[in-house]
Amino acid sequence: MAGNPAATGSKLRVAIVHEAFFGESAGVELLARLKQATEQGADLAVLCELPLNHWMAVDQKFDVHNTEAPGTGIRQGWMQQCARAAGIALVGGAIMTTSLQAGADEIPPEQIDASHCHNTAVLYDEQGELRLQYGKMHLPQEEGYWEASHYSPSTELPRTVSFSPTNHIDKRPWTVGIQVCSDIMRPAGAAFLASQGVQLLLHPRATPLSSYQRRWKPVLRAAAITSAAYVISVNRPSVGQADTPCGGASLVVSPCGDIILETTDPLTVVTLDMAEVDSATKGYPGYLEHSQTLIPRAV
């Protein structure tokens, strides 16, 4: 995964997978979609928020079967195996139980509740190795989005990782960070990632169609402009779950705020060019300094 920092120029082919996978055939369906992405030349596939769960936040009833232990859960296993089998890096997520992390006291499943869980996004490389993990910090609690009833806010600061697919070994690696859905509505997280030099901000989400144009679209454009980074936001569709409130397009925003892609197709592949990031960081507002003292305090 490590690229050559001295190398110049790097393009990345990214698959936007506007689809959720749950039920008995979830792993098979995910693998088939990832193989399609690989056939179209994608290096990285980005899934929606909690892509291997049904959208449980339609009600407030906590169910431990929606959760799993970090590193050993069935959904994490599917994602790792599918990434490895398809030969593609993958961004997905799962509800992970903090009480079962290494070194923590294990508690009986019947005693696990939302306070023991985080909505956790993950980045696996094409070998199925975990490269980055991030827990959602900002949780809605309203009709159709009773998220605080199912998991608790993470307190871990967002971090970046240097990412380069194996076939990009002679190219500059990408600096990648993650925000999950409502996190982008509090800009401190994106700003903190920008202070770490983020070039590609990945944003799995599950949002309603009603607020897409007036709320999500402008905020995502603003995040790209102020971070001087590509933003890829993959939304959860309503297909396959009649009671979900989710809807609206997935989109890709350039580092200068232009909409590159806006789609509800199950699979679309786009090419990102690091030269666009370089240009944005040299122009306004990209060249403005990121305060290393103010941002951590704000977060």
Side-chain angles (χ1 to χ4, degrees), residues 149-170:
S149 298
H150 298 273
Y151 35 82
S152 60
S154 173
T155 58
E156 296 292 326
L157 294 178
R159 299 294 179 185
T160 60
V161 67
S162 181
F163 169 81
S164 183
T166 300
N167 62 351
H168 286 214
I169 195 67
D170 59 338

Side-chain angles (χ1 to χ4, degrees), residues 79-211:
M79 289 185 285
Q80 289 178 294
Q81 292 165 22
C82 289
R84 190 181 306 118
I88 190 171
L90 173 66
V91 173
I95 301 175
M96 298 190 193
T97 50
T98 57
S99 62
L100 299 183
Q101 289 179 346
D105 292 334
E106 196 165 311
I107 63 174
E110 62 272 15
Q111 294 183 22
I112 294 175
D113 59 26
S115 67
H116 301 111
C117 304
H118 292 317
N119 178 340
T120 306
V122 289
L123 167 61
Y124 297 109
D125 65 20
E126 63 268 41
Q127 302 300 320
E129 297 296 325
L130 180 64
R131 294 299 311 280
L132 183 63
Q133 183 169 300
Y134 169 76
K136 186 175 183 179
M137 302 179 76
H138 302 93
L139 307 184
Q141 188 70 350
E142 60 181 74
E143 190 67 34
Y145 293 91
W146 302 110
E147 296 185 48
S149 298
H150 298 273
Y151 35 82
S152 60
S154 173
T155 58
E156 296 292 326
L157 294 178
R159 299 294 179 185
T160 60
V161 67
S162 181
F163 169 81
S164 183
T166 300
N167 62 351
H168 286 214
I169 195 67
D170 59 338
K171 305 289 183 66
R172 288 167 57 192
W174 289 74
T175 303
V176 177
I178 299 175
Q179 292 281 273
V180 178
C181 203
S182 292
D183 290 330
I184 209 77
M185 290 295 179
R186 290 292 179 259
F192 190 53
L193 290 171
S195 75
Q196 299 172 54
V198 72
Q199 297 167 315
L200 175 55
L201 200 165
L202 303 173
H203 181 246
R205 76 182 207 275
T207 63
L209 176 61
S210 60
S211 59

